[in-house]
Amino acid sequence: MGKEVIDSAVPKLLPAYYYCEDTVFQQERERILKDAWQFVARADQLASPGDFVTTRLNEIPVLIVRDKDKAKAFVNVCPHRGAEIILKEEGKAQVLMCHYHGWTWKLDGTLFRAPSTKDDAMFHPSCFGLQELPLEQLGPFYFTSVGCPMPWSKLLGELPDILKERACDLSKLKYVGKQSYDMNCNWKIVVENFLECYHCPISHPSFCDVINLRDYTVTPYRYFSTQKGPAKQEVELPHENARYGIYNFLWPFFMVNIYPGKDNASTNIIRPLSPTRTLVTYEFFVHPEMEAKQTEEIVGLIHQVQLEDVTICESVQRGLASGRYPGGRLVMSKENGIRHFQSLVNEFLGSPSSLPNTRSERALQSHVGVC
């Protein structure tokens, strides 16, 4: 009597310090984020030659520009003195000129002009091309990686077929805006919250007015997972599959979602900023013929759900940082998507035993039993 029982078969969660400690976050940046395929631009931003977008992947500035026949990605760092070549976030240019000393590249990344080097016999323009990065697409969404990524097709797996089955042509949707949320929580909390609807009946009444949770499923694949649920009420259907909403997670932190009804989509773009801060940007897409009122309803629903999720995720962060979190466990009938995600975290990052424990975790062990 009073003896603690440990069941190794119980699906437990990652320890609290995984969500709070800078040492863990730095290892994530090295082992997960550095090599990850990450969203960088939309096709509508790169519609014609000279269109460009700049962004950052971790600490590395990246430039995506459309050449004559296709888009390309480069490291946005001048090989002359290290300045970022292009400072604007988005625009159009005939050539790529560094704002510091005027070195200039063609849209294909080859050096076009370097002032005052004409008489330098030791200067070889071919040695100063821009560093090109791989660039791939999922529908209208461009992704790149600054490390040595796994093959793009291996990461995607069956996801393109699942999106095709939903019969919503993402490439034909119209971009209608975005909304960003600066959240005081770890990026993994944001992902895990997305990966289950166990909390929806309590936390998202507006979502539950739209989706029938009795037929809601979460299906993990190798590097992504898909949630699927039918509309609760009758909706305008361009085809039978449009009665379902599908919500897709692609490792490590990109989501693309389609709600029931006329063609629409939204993306969740997650940027880890620190162990306890995450920037989440939602972008919205609708059928070109969708009425303004219906567009506002879809965007409004997504915004409302996200505001509710901000409250949830920040609350979880405070609880995990309290030093009194006993380790938790999963309800597998509802939270199998989280187990799939955490298995990927451990696969890429390493097991909990390989990372340092914290003083707050050690203090907790003297206060809370394991059962």
Side-chain angles (χ1 to χ4, degrees), residues 147-160:
C148 300
M150 72 174 70
W152 177 242
S153 59
K154 181 178 179 181
L155 179 71
L156 287 186
E158 304 93 328
L159 181 56

Side-chain angles (χ1 to χ4, degrees), residues 4 25 40 44 100 115 169 187 193 195 238 240 252 261 268 272 286 297 307 312 314 319 323 337 354:
E4 295 167 356
F25 183 72
V40 287
D44 65 277
Y100 194 6
D169 189 343
W187 69 277
N193 180 70
L195 289 174
E240 177 58 26
N268 312 14
V286 300
E297 290 174 350
L307 289 178
I312 294 167
E314 292 185 346
S354 70

Side-chain angles (χ1 to χ4, degrees), residues 191-314:
V191 173
E192 290 170 359
N193 180 70
F194 173 86
L195 289 174
E196 50 93 353
C197 214
Y198 187 26
H199 69 286
C200 292
I202 304 299
S203 303
H204 299 314
S206 56
F207 182 82
C208 294
D209 288 340
V210 175
I211 301 296
N212 183 352
L213 297 185
R214 289 178 298 178
D215 295 324
Y216 198 87
T217 60
V218 181
T219 306
Y221 295 82
R222 183 62 178 93
Y223 294 109
F224 75 95
S225 61
T226 294
Q227 301 173 62
K228 183 177 180 181
K232 180 175 286 186
Q233 301 174 352
E234 291 295 326
V235 293
E236 180 183 348
L237 297 178
H239 44 78
E240 177 58 26
N241 285 344
R243 64 185 293 265
Y244 282 91
I246 60 171
Y247 312 94
N248 307 279
F249 161 74
L250 180 65
W251 170 261
F253 37 56
F254 177 79
M255 295 87 165
V256 55
N257 314 300
I258 304 172
Y259 276 78
K262 184 174 289 188
D263 289 356
N264 69 90
S266 63
T267 55
N268 312 14
I269 304 157
I270 296 178
R271 300 294 188 211
L273 302 178
S274 80
T276 58
R277 185 168 164 238
T278 304
L279 181 66
V280 180
T281 299
Y282 279 61
E283 294 191 332
F284 309 106
F285 308 83
V286 300
H287 191 282
E289 298 178 1
M290 183 176 288
E291 296 180 357
K293 181 179 179 181
Q294 190 174 0
T295 299
E296 291 173 3
E297 290 174 350
I298 292 175
V299 172
L301 171 61
I302 297 170
H303 176 57
Q304 177 61 38
V305 170
Q306 180 58 19
L307 289 178
E308 293 159 355
D309 281 336
V310 170
T311 299
I312 294 167
C313 292
E314 292 185 346

Side-chain angles (χ1 to χ4, degrees), residues 6 16 23-24 63 78 88-89 120 123 135 138 143 153 156 169 196 203 212 216 236 264 293 296 319 326 350 359:
I6 300 176
T23 52
V24 178
L63 166 69
C78 180
K88 292 177 63 177
E89 293 183 359
D120 186 346
F123 184 79
L135 191 66
L138 174 62
F143 293 76
S153 59
L156 287 186
D169 189 343
E196 50 93 353
S203 303
N212 183 352
Y216 198 87
E236 180 183 348
N264 69 90
K293 181 179 179 181
E296 291 173 3
R359 182 169 57 186

Side-chain angles (χ1 to χ4, degrees), residues 51-103:
D51 288 347
F52 69 82
V53 174
T54 64
T55 187
R56 299 180 71 85
L57 300 189
N58 307 325
E59 296 301 316
I60 301 176
V62 173
L63 166 69
I64 304 91
V65 61
R66 186 167 190 85
D67 195 5
K68 293 179 181 179
D69 55 351
K70 67 177 183 177
K72 294 185 176 183
F74 300 102
V75 175
N76 187 23
V77 174
C78 180
H80 169 221
R81 292 278 297 282
E84 294 169 315
I85 297 168
I86 304 295
L87 295 180
K88 292 177 63 177
E89 293 183 359
E90 189 173 350
K92 192 177 186 69
Q94 293 183 334
V95 292
L96 306 172
M97 187 178 76
C98 178
H99 71 101
Y100 194 6
H101 296 95
W103 283 35

Side-chain angles (χ1 to χ4, degrees), residues 134-148:
L135 191 66
E136 298 286 356
Q137 280 186 265
L138 174 62
F141 309 121
Y142 282 99
F143 293 76
T144 191
S145 171
V146 297
C148 300

